[in-house]
Each structure stands twice: as C-alpha cells, then as structure tokens.
C-alpha cells in the first residue's frame, strides 16, 4: 500500500507526515504526530472525544481521513493553552467546577466548547447542551461541564 | 485502497468508470468512514469530490431556484440565511443529521446516496420537488430526488455516475415547508418516522402541496393521496384527518427495535398533521 505525503498546519505549525490513505486524521495526529490529546472513544462519530477544528469548523477527527488534511489548518487540544502554559479560561473553569473525573472526554469537550464560544459568546444553557450533544461523558453527568462552559463564557465576555 | 481527488466531475466520472472493485465517493465521509471502520464497506477506490471547484457553493439560479454543491455541509446550509428563508423544511431536515461535529462535514448528497430509508434530509428534498444533476460519461441528466434511492443502501445511479449538484425549484410567494421526525430522545438518533410537507396557499386555501414520508418503507415515499387531502382545503380538521389517513395508508414499515409497524403507521399520521400545520403557518407568514 503506497503511502501519501501530507503537509498541513497543526496548532499554527506546519507539519508533514506519510499516511496510508485509510488512516483517519485521528490516527495521524496520534500515531504520526504524537499528539495524543485527542482521544478515540468510539471511532464512529458518536462520542466526540476526537474533536478538532479544521479550517475553523468543529469535526470528529475519526470521521476524516488523514489525506484530507492536506493544506488545511487544524487546531487540537494541544494548542489550547497559551505558549507559556497558561490555561485557557475553559480549561481553568473545567478544573474549578470539577467538570472532569477520568478525563477521557475532556479534550473533546474543551475543543467543542471553544468552537461554540467563538461562534456564540453568550449561549443559553439549552444552546450549550445541544452544541455538545455529540460529546459523551460517562463520569460527570454533564451538569458540571455545562456550568463550567457557561461560567467560562461569562468570564470571557467580561461579565463575571 | 486508492484515494483520488479529481478536480472536475468529468475526471471523477472517468475514475469511477474505470474502477474495477468497490468504489465510493467521499463527500463528508460520515457514512463512508463509519462503514470502513466497521469493515462493512472497504473501498478499493475512494473518490473525494471536495477538490472539484464550486462544490461548496450555494447559488441562486436565474429562475429563482437554488443550486447546492455536493460538498456543502449541514452547518453551511444552516448558515445560509436566504436559503433558510426559502426552504426552512429542507434545511431543518439536514440540520437534524448528527451532532455539531457531524454537521461540520455531512452533506445532503451523502445523506441521499447512502440510501438509508431513515435519511433525515431526504423527505424535505422530495416534498420540495428537488432534483439532482447526475453526471456520467455521456453528459448530465436531471433526476427527481425520490428516484435516486432504489432500496436500502442502494441508489439508481449507474457505475461511473456521480451527482454533481442538488437543485431546488424557485420557492415563490405564500409557500412554506417543514420536516419533523420522531426519535425516542431529543438528539443523536435515527428517525423512527420522518415527514415533510411543502405547500402553497392562496389566502387561507391550500393550492399546492407535496407530502413525503421517511423510515416507513424501503425508500422515501412521495404520497400524492396525502397531498390531495390538503389541496383545496383551509387545513380544517377534516382535511387534517384525511391527510393523516392517507399518510398512514401509504406506510409499509418494518418492525424493529426502534418501533413496531403499528407505532410507525400511527406516528406517520401524527407527524403529517403537525408538519402540515407548521408549513401552513410558514406559508402564511405566521411563523418562520
Ligand atoms: C454520529 C452520527 C450521527 C448521525 N445521525 C444521522 C441522523 O440523525 N440522520 C441521518 O439521516 N443521518 C445521520 N447520520 C448519517 C450521515 O451523517 C448522513 O447520512 C450524512 O448526510 C452523509 O453525508 P456525507 O457527506 O458524510 O456522506 P459520505 O459518507 O461522504 O457518503 C455517503 C454515500 O454517498 C455516496 N456519495 C457521496 N457523494 C456522492 C456524489 N456526489 N455522487 C454519488 N454518490 C455520492 C458515497 O459513495 C457514499 O456511499 C449520522 C452519522 C453519524 C456518524
Ligand atoms: S472517537 Fe471520534 S467521535 Fe468517538
Ligand atoms: S470525565 Fe470520564 S468520560 Fe467524561
């Protein structure tokens, strides 16, 4: 099986990798680029643990091929904190609200929540819950996650 | 698996026509990748249509209709204000597909060509009278949306044919459409029944109607008896009852874990009534 050479931008850095065309973007991030923050919960689009943005659009990286990343701009959980390690407000609020237990779903929730707040800085609770309907968590019961997102949104708007 | 990314539909057709083994087109990949993962479909040739110029465009046609590119995602469809104003029922069907993440990639064309009887965007397209442009080795032809699915998981497209656009007719005045589905939860599930209604009014009277049902037969149903129950009426109780009866009579559903035959037949009537009310209000400008 001949491999395909892909050049893409991940968290602002240009990267290259060789991929079998059957590999997903998630496989490529984890196995070729050592970016293991994005998780595989299901591999079939149901759980959102593999969420990344591609050219600003939230997608499940398990439902996209690595070859499709050619020339795109990809953002993953690894790009969320500042270069100096300063946490994004969403990351801080997840900790403050204890919005994680095992943490497996957390990268996906954070990436998805960030995409929401970029589009809608002042979402209602219902909007948060619908936006995150494709992110599954087996531990928290979701309530703390929703509160953390609402609180981070308020802080980012300067309302808290 | 060979991955191809042609830059024209003719090139895509050339690749597909020559392909020997299992061939799939790749739009959003939200069905194709799931099937690959499950081992259900392992393509020998995968033809990505997203590098073809124009496939992400939504354009108003000279007659006032719409041409929707085959790689336009659900999210892009929902963000197009003018299209949402013209065809809210078509858009709301597509927007029910999957999660935010799935919406970022999933397309109308993929939803149609995957051939699921429960595909959420298909009844809305059928009720709207949408067509698809099919490109093959001998040029293009225009096919009604309801003639594309032939049985579950299959389409009437020949080998070497690709859909190159979805076409919606001009909406015109005093018209509205709506799509409703029944699922046991509020998000992220497969339709047990889906129903779309598109209609036009003159004053209070319905002068045109189309009714389509999903998930109650091997392929989407365009139910002319249900449309006839609406045409000429003012959506009074008798018309709604006749509509529900006609919708139920058209159902040929299966029993499965999502719903029994009896349940699906009953719900088809309920959804037809509710969707007709929404479409009627939209046509009269009462609601969006
Ligand atoms: C988590 C999850 C939830 C989902 N929820 C729903 C739901 O609620 N309702 C629903 O209806 N569906 C749902 N789906 C199914 C899927 O998302 C939709 O069917 C979607 O619209 C498929 O579009 P796509 O662009 O991703 O198709 P793809 O996977 O790219 O393609 C699907 C099929 O269409 C063919 N095809 C694609 N483009 C063309 C073309 N131009 N010409 C000819 N053939 C073509 C391909 O060969 C393939 O067979 C869900 C999927 C997932 C993973
Ligand atoms: S691993 Fe991608 S959605 Fe679950
Ligand atoms: S914290 Fe364990 S799955 Fe969400």
């Amino acid at each position: 099986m001949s491999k395909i050479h892909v050049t893409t931008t991940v968290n602002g850095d240009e990267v290259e990798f060789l991929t079998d065309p059957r590999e997903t973007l998630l496989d490529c991030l984890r196995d070729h680029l050592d970016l293991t923050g994005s998780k595989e919960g299901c591999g079939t689009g149901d759980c959102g643990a593999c969420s990344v943005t591609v050219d600003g659009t939230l997608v499940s990286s398990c439902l996209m091929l690595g070859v499709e990343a050619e020339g795109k701009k990809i953002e993953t959980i690894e790009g969320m904190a500042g270069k100096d390690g300063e946490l994004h407000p969403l990351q801080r609020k997840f900790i403050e609200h204890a919005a994680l237990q095992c943490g497996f779903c957390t990268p996906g929730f954070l990436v998805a929540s960030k995409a929401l707040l970029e589009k809608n800085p002042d979402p209602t609770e219902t909007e948060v819950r619908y936006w995150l309907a494709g992110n599954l968590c087996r531990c928290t019961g979701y309530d703390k996650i929703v509160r953390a997102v609402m609180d981070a949104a308020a802080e980012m708007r300067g309302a808290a | 698996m060979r991955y191809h990314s042609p830059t024209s539909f003719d090139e895509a057709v050339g690749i597909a026509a020559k392909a020997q083994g299992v061939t799939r087109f790749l739009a959003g990949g939200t069905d194709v990748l799931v099937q690959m993962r499950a081992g259900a479909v392992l393509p020998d040739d995968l033809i990505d249509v997203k590098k073809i110029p124009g496939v992400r465009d939504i354009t108003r046609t000279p007659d006032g209709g719409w041409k929707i590119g085959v790689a336009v995602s659900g999210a892009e469809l929902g963000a197009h204000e003018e299209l949402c104003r013209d065809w809210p029922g078509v858009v709301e069907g597509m927007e029910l597909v999957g999660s935010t993440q799935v919406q970022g990639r999933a397309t109308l064309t993929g939803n149609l060509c995957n051939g699921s009887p429960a595909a959420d965007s298909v009844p809305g397209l059928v009720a709207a009278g949408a067509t698809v442009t099919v490109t093959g080795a001998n040029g293009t032809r225009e096919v009604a949306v309801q003639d594309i699915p032939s049985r579950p998981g299959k389409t009437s497209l020949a080998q070497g044919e690709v859909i190159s656009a979805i076409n919606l007719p001009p909406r015109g005045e005093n018209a509205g459409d709506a799509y409703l589905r029944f699922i046991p939860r509020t998000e992220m599930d497969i339709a047990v029944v889906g129903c779309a209604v598109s209609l036009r009014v003159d004053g209070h009277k319905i002068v045109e109607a189309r009714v389509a049902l999903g998930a109650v037969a091997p392929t989407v149903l365009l139910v002319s008896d249900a449309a006839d129950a609406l045409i000429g009426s003012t959506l009074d109780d008798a018309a709604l009852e006749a509509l529900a009866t006609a919708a139920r009579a058209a159902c040929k559903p299966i029993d499965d874990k999502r719903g029994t035959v009896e349940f699906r037949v009953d719900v088809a009537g309920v959804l037809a009534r509710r969707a007709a009310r929404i479409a009627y209000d939209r046509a009269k400008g009462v609601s969006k």
Side-chain angles (χ1 to χ4, degrees):
Chain A
M1 187 68 54
S2 68
K3 296 211 170 187
I4 297 178
H5 180 255
V6 175
T7 307
T8 185
T9 304
V10 179
N11 301 325
D13 298 327
E14 193 176 289
V15 297
E16 297 173 59
F17 54 87
L18 282 176
T19 175
D20 179 308
R22 292 168 298 189
E23 285 178 309
T24 65
L25 174 61
L26 178 62
D27 297 332
C28 294
L29 289 171
R30 293 180 57 87
D31 301 341
H32 300 321
L33 300 174
D34 285 334
L35 295 171
T36 55
S38 307
K39 305 298 180 200
E40 179 169 299
C42 65
T44 51
D46 296 292
C47 78
C50 64
S51 296
V52 301
T53 61
V54 177
D55 290 345
T57 300
L58 183 68
V59 305
S60 288
S61 60
C62 72
L63 287 190
M64 174 170 162
L65 295 174
V67 286
E68 294 181 78
E70 177 66 43
K72 304 278 187 208
K73 287 199 164 46
I74 295 167
E75 297 282 336
T76 71
I77 185 63
E78 284 86 354
M80 198 158 172
K83 288 263 183 263
D84 50 2
E86 192 197 341
L87 295 183
H88 186 278
L90 276 162
Q91 293 174 306
R92 255 194 299 109
K93 290 298 177 188
F94 266 57
I95 298 171
E96 268 176 41
H97 286 264
L100 64 154
Q101 288 177 34
C102 79
F104 194 84
C105 68
T106 313
F109 269 102
L110 287 169
V111 169
S113 302
K114 181 165 174 258
L116 168 64
L117 299 188
E118 273 161 15
K119 199 176 130 97
N120 179 0
D122 191 8
T124 63
E125 180 178 333
T126 304
E127 285 168 340
V128 171
R129 287 184 184 272
Y130 270 97
W131 183 272
L132 296 176
N135 290 83
L136 303 185
C137 174
R138 302 295 290 202
C139 302
T140 63
Y142 301 102
D143 214 57
K144 292 174 175 192
I145 293 174
V146 174
R147 283 167 208 240
V149 174
M150 300 290 288
D151 196 11
E155 182 186 296
M156 288 165 71
R157 290 194 310 273
Chain B
M1 183 184 87
R2 286 169 295 270
Y3 170 80
H4 310 269
S5 48
T7 52
S8 72
F9 281 108
D10 286 338
E11 191 188 343
V13 164
I15 298 164
K18 275 209 305 277
Q20 301 283 321
V22 178
T23 308
R24 286 292 182 277
F25 293 99
L26 180 65
T30 61
D31 283 314
V32 168
L33 265 77
V34 172
Q35 290 157 8
M36 281 169 62
R37 166 84 183 199
V41 180
L42 298 168
D44 298 297
D45 290 279
L46 186 65
I47 307 170
D48 189 346
V49 296
K50 293 190 293 299
K51 300 259 164 70
I52 301 173
V55 290
R56 293 191 55 182
D57 296 346
I58 300 174
T59 10
R60 178 79 85 172
T61 55
D63 65 356
W66 294 96
K67 180 178 161 188
I68 301 171
V70 294
V72 170
S73 69
E76 288 163 343
L77 208 64
H80 197 291
E81 280 176 27
E82 256 186 289
L83 181 73
C84 294
R85 218 174 300 128
D86 269 12
W87 294 104
V90 171
V91 175
E92 73 197 350
M94 188 62 210
E95 285 190 308
L96 283 171
V97 170
S99 58
T100 318
Q101 287 86 340
V102 170
Q103 282 288 310
R105 302 254 302 162
T107 66
L108 285 169
T109 311
N111 196 224
L112 174 63
C113 294
N114 186 54
S116 165
D120 278 307
S121 74
V122 175
L125 289 171
V126 170
T131 64
V132 294
T133 307
V134 176
T135 301
N138 304 318
T140 64
R141 59 194 179 101
E142 201 163 318
V143 182
V145 165
Q146 63 270 22
D147 294 334
I148 293 295
S150 53
R151 59 193 162 91
K154 293 276 179 276
T155 69
S156 59
L157 299 175
Q159 191 197 349
E161 283 190 324
V162 60
I163 291 182
S164 47
I166 293 196
N167 312 297
L168 283 166
R171 176 70 287 197
E173 295 297 300
N174 307 319
D177 69 334
Y179 174 75
L180 291 175
R181 71 171 178 184
F182 177 86
I183 56 171
R185 48 204 293 243
T186 48
E187 264 283 75
M188 298 289 287
D189 209 343
I190 296 170
V192 179
V193 181
C195 180
V197 176
S198 175
L199 52 79
R200 188 182 314 283
V201 294
D202 180 0
H204 296 293
K205 203 167 95 187
I206 296 172
V207 290
E208 283 171 33
R210 284 168 71 93
V211 179
L213 288 170
V216 292
T219 60
V220 64
L221 298 175
L222 175 63
V223 190
S224 56
D225 286 351
D228 292 343
L230 292 174
I231 296 168
S233 82
T234 56
L235 207 68
D236 49 281
D237 288 347
L240 284 167
E241 205 40 54
L243 165 70
T245 304
R248 287 178 179 132
C251 296
K252 297 179 284 270
I254 54 165
D255 262 321
D256 70 6
K257 64 180 177 188
R258 297 180 183 283
T260 59
V261 167
E262 293 80 356
F263 181 75
R264 285 190 151 104
V265 169
D266 192 55
V267 170
V270 174
L271 292 187
R273 269 201 306 250
R274 290 182 189 169
R277 282 215 180 88
I278 299 169
Y280 188 71
D281 285 348
R282 286 176 175 165
K284 294 177 78 178
V286 180
S287 71
K288 274 203 31 216

